[in-house]
Amino acid sequence: MTTHDSIRLWIAEQMHLDIETAEPTELARLDVVTAAAEAGYVRMLLRLRDYHPLVG
């Protein structure tokens, strides 16, 4: 499972959303919220002094 999958599943749980039965509009909203959460996660990592990305 990727970090993206983990974050997406966690957010779906917080939204009380069953991914298997969700409507397309609900999945679209989930994707928007997941993208925002991932962006925040990356910004947080980049601020850490000890974090060194593997790619330039």
Side-chain angles (χ1 to χ4, degrees), residues 38-55:
E38 287 176 323
Y41 176 74
V42 169
R43 283 191 299 271
M44 181 189 67
L45 282 175
L46 292 173
R47 288 184 188 139
L48 294 174
R49 291 181 187 175
D50 295 339
Y51 178 72
H52 304 285
L54 297 176
V55 293

Side-chain angles (χ1 to χ4, degrees), residues 14-34:
Q14 302 310 305
M15 295 172 68
H16 304 286
L17 181 65
D18 181 358
I19 293 175
E20 299 298 321
T21 61
E23 298 291 325
T25 55
E26 294 171 316
L27 293 175
R29 177 71 179 143
L30 174 61
D31 290 339
V32 168
V33 174
T34 300

